Amino acid sequence: FNSLSRKVRMRTTKINGVVILITTTLMLLASCCFSQTYASTSVKVQNNSGVEASSGEEESNMKCAGATQQETQTCDTEDDDNYEEESDFDNEDVDYEEEEEEEEDDSNDEYDEESDYEDEDEEDYEEYICEDEDEVECQSMLLNDNECEEADTVERCKASCGFCAAEEASEAYGVKQQISSWEMMEEWNELQLYMSRIEAGEIDDEIIRDDECRNHQDLCIKWAVDGECDIPAERNHMIAMCSPVCQTCHLESPCTQFIGAEDNRTPALQPGDLNKLFKRIATASDSFDRLQLEGIIKTDEIDNEDGEWVEWMKQYQPNVLGVDPWVVTLDNFVTAEEAKHLIGVGFELGYETSTFHSNGVSKNAGVPHRTSKGVFYQWHGDNAAEQIMERIERVVGIPPIYAEDMQLLKYEEGEYYKYHHDYHAGHLQSPIGPRILTFFLYLNDVEEGGETKFEDLDNLTVTPKTGRVVIWPSVLDDDPLEIEDWTFHEAMPVIKGQKFGSNLWYHQYDYQTPHRLRCTEILI
């Protein structure tokens, strides 16, 4: 909405500028014609500065002629208001052009601030229409199969080549498919033959439920052309999401257990649990007494059996930076040896350019939104990482199966991750549910820069320090499926040195089981 408003304002400014220029031109032409027509009857007035005025301009010029500096400024102001001085218009034109350039520069420089999951270009708003570029030309070509095999012909004559009709017909087997090449058309024909065999009862194997023998993604045919139906690492996902196109409706996929089973999942958080989690951490902080006095933590909310846990937590010096929403840091949570170990694992696995998620879709980050590098680490079996995970579970009270793999991060000088959010709306339709909590570990001291900043929380900033942790929610306490709008944040550019860290994101539902089966992206 903010991005759209900026565009509207910019375009309105341009329209106003055009109106002003047209009005100026018409007035100047009228003034010129008026002075020429009545030149013989005009009364010449010689003012103190030697300027002559016609009778139509006599009163205003006589008033301003020989005026004091203050009076002259008043006259100039009146001229500006009435757009009656050509020089004023020229200045306004220059100002307008400068303002337009500044607004365009701002528009180009701004990254999307409305959400970490909205990174849409203008073309995203354009409705896709399947049609021929030139219907008459395409139909006159009397297209045959050979001609439609040419990529240029397909692009120009999708309707005449039958691609539009195929896309419409594909809805009979689930989500409407995108068909944009002859290879995809051939895959579509194979799909139809397979489904006709099922309908005719020619396949003897047990058929899975009809609602599972459907294409659940609009790119199923494209993925099949890319060979993903036969890639072992992708097969479970493809069987569940694209059974008709992979011709696997008669096979069972581990992913099918998640389809339609949303009511059988165990949530990590019930409404109200998020506040309980952070209040429990706060009881071990130096802010505990103040939070009690302010009524943020009530006496009946304190678990008297937590004494041992509170004493254990105090060694990490919890610091409450915010309560609505909660932002909390812990210090010395990770030892220097553990931090060094995780940094080394990152180098061993190979840091790669990080991705920026938009509506649950990964996009190459690069410039301008995110320039850091990272790698996901399946920490199971790593003694040092397992010890860290055990401590984290003791802090948040959520089992590790709800957490993604560790994301190990590396920032070089000048690298950053701009204003974004960890919540992705696309996860709502996934077995794993949305991200509910971020547990971020700093693995080194940064010489300068690299802070984590929460702009909407009065620019609350956390400075990197070896072993430090910052924790914040991505969802609301009373509805763990809804985004917490106040925890947008950014990783500030590293000015000097390097920055190493690790993200651990918790989901509302079991993440590890669907992830292990490569079923996290299926739609439930």
Side-chain angles (χ1 to χ4, degrees), residues 32 34 40 62 92 113 143 180 192 200 246 325 338 342 344 366 401 419 421-422 440 463 506-507 514:
C32 178
F34 178 88
S40 59
M62 289 184 66
E92 282 196 358
E113 297 181 350
L143 297 171
S180 56
Q192 289 180 292
C246 288
E338 290 170 335
L342 290 179
I401 61 169
Y419 184 94
H421 205 287
D422 294 338
F440 188 87
T463 302
Y506 281 87
H507 285 261

Side-chain angles (χ1 to χ4, degrees), residues 310-359:
V310 169
E311 290 304 314
W312 174 79
M313 275 294 297
K314 284 183 177 180
Q315 66 180 310
Y316 303 123
Q317 304 167 26
N319 186 17
V320 178
L321 303 179
V323 298
D324 187 20
W326 292 91
V327 180
V328 173
T329 62
L330 307 177
D331 278 345
N332 304 313
F333 188 80
V334 176
T335 68
E337 292 76 17
E338 290 170 335
K340 185 177 180 180
H341 171 73
L342 290 179
I343 293 173
V345 169
F347 279 110
E348 183 179 342
L349 295 175
Y351 292 103
E352 299 177 352
T353 301
S354 299
T355 54
F356 172 57
H357 289 261
S358 173
N359 282 331

Side-chain angles (χ1 to χ4, degrees), residues 55-102:
S55 59
E57 301 170 334
E58 177 179 350
E59 182 178 351
S60 61
N61 282 349
M62 289 184 66
K63 180 175 68 174
C64 292
T68 65
Q69 182 178 0
Q70 181 176 2
E71 292 170 340
T72 301
Q73 292 174 349
T74 302
C75 291
D76 289 342
T77 301
E78 292 175 354
D79 289 339
D80 287 342
D81 292 339
N82 292 283
Y83 302 104
E84 292 179 357
E85 289 292 328
E86 181 176 2
S87 60
D88 291 337
F89 277 106
D90 292 340
N91 290 337
E92 282 196 358
D93 292 343
V94 173
D95 291 341
Y96 162 72
E97 292 172 358
E98 292 176 351
E99 179 182 355
E100 179 181 352
E101 291 175 357
E102 290 175 359

Side-chain angles (χ1 to χ4, degrees), residues 235-253:
R235 190 162 176 78
N236 286 344
H237 174 265
M238 292 296 289
I239 290 175
M241 299 305 294
C242 305
S243 284
V245 74
C246 288
Q247 301 185 26
T248 54
C249 286
H250 57 290
L251 301 179
E252 187 72 38
S253 165

Side-chain angles (χ1 to χ4, degrees), residues 169-387:
S170 69
E171 288 190 278
Y173 307 117
V175 176
K176 181 178 179 180
Q177 297 296 293
Q178 296 183 25
I179 304 176
S180 56
S181 71
W182 190 250
E183 292 78 11
M184 294 172 71
M185 179 66 84
E186 291 179 328
E187 197 70 48
W188 159 246
N189 292 332
E190 291 294 326
L191 180 157
Q192 289 180 292
L193 289 174
Y194 172 71
M195 296 302 293
S196 66
R197 291 180 63 204
I198 289 179
E199 293 168 0
E202 296 178 8
I203 297 179
D204 297 330
D205 297 298
E206 182 180 356
I207 305 299
I208 60 175
R209 295 197 312 270
D210 289 341
D211 60 339
E212 292 177 1
C213 188
R214 296 174 62 80
N215 292 317
H216 295 276
Q217 298 276 12
D218 62 351
L219 295 177
C220 284
I221 289 180
K222 178 184 182 303
W223 292 335
V225 169
D226 293 341
E228 294 193 18
C229 291
D230 301 315
I231 299 174
E234 300 293 341
R235 190 162 176 78
N236 286 344
H237 174 265
M238 292 296 289
I239 290 175
M241 299 305 294
C242 305
S243 284
V245 74
C246 288
Q247 301 185 26
T248 54
C249 286
H250 57 290
L251 301 179
E252 187 72 38
S253 165
C255 295
T256 59
Q257 65 182 294
F258 303 108
I259 298 176
E262 59 269 28
D263 294 335
N264 298 327
R265 297 173 296 174
T266 302
L269 297 175
Q270 297 288 349
D273 284 350
L274 203 55
N275 271 344
K276 291 178 183 177
L277 183 159
F278 280 100
K279 287 179 180 180
R280 189 180 187 220
I281 296 174
T283 59
S285 73
D286 292 338
S287 305
F288 176 53
D289 292 338
R290 174 179 60 82
L291 295 173
Q292 274 194 300
L293 288 173
E294 294 175 357
I296 295 172
I297 298 179
K298 298 179 173 58
T299 304
D300 59 1
E301 294 176 325
I302 302 171
D303 188 344
N304 294 326
E305 297 181 1
D306 265 357
E308 181 181 348
W309 183 88
V310 169
E311 290 304 314
W312 174 79
M313 275 294 297
K314 284 183 177 180
Q315 66 180 310
Y316 303 123
Q317 304 167 26
N319 186 17
V320 178
L321 303 179
V323 298
D324 187 20
W326 292 91
V327 180
V328 173
T329 62
L330 307 177
D331 278 345
N332 304 313
F333 188 80
V334 176
T335 68
E337 292 76 17
E338 290 170 335
K340 185 177 180 180
H341 171 73
L342 290 179
I343 293 173
V345 169
F347 279 110
E348 183 179 342
L349 295 175
Y351 292 103
E352 299 177 352
T353 301
S354 299
T355 54
F356 172 57
H357 289 261
S358 173
N359 282 331
V361 177
S362 297
K363 298 185 178 180
N364 190 299
V367 177
H369 207 92
R370 186 179 190 180
T371 58
S372 63
K373 293 179 175 59
V375 61
F376 280 96
Y377 178 41
Q378 296 181 354
W379 45 267
H380 310 279
D382 180 332
N383 185 57
E386 285 185 342
Q387 290 183 17

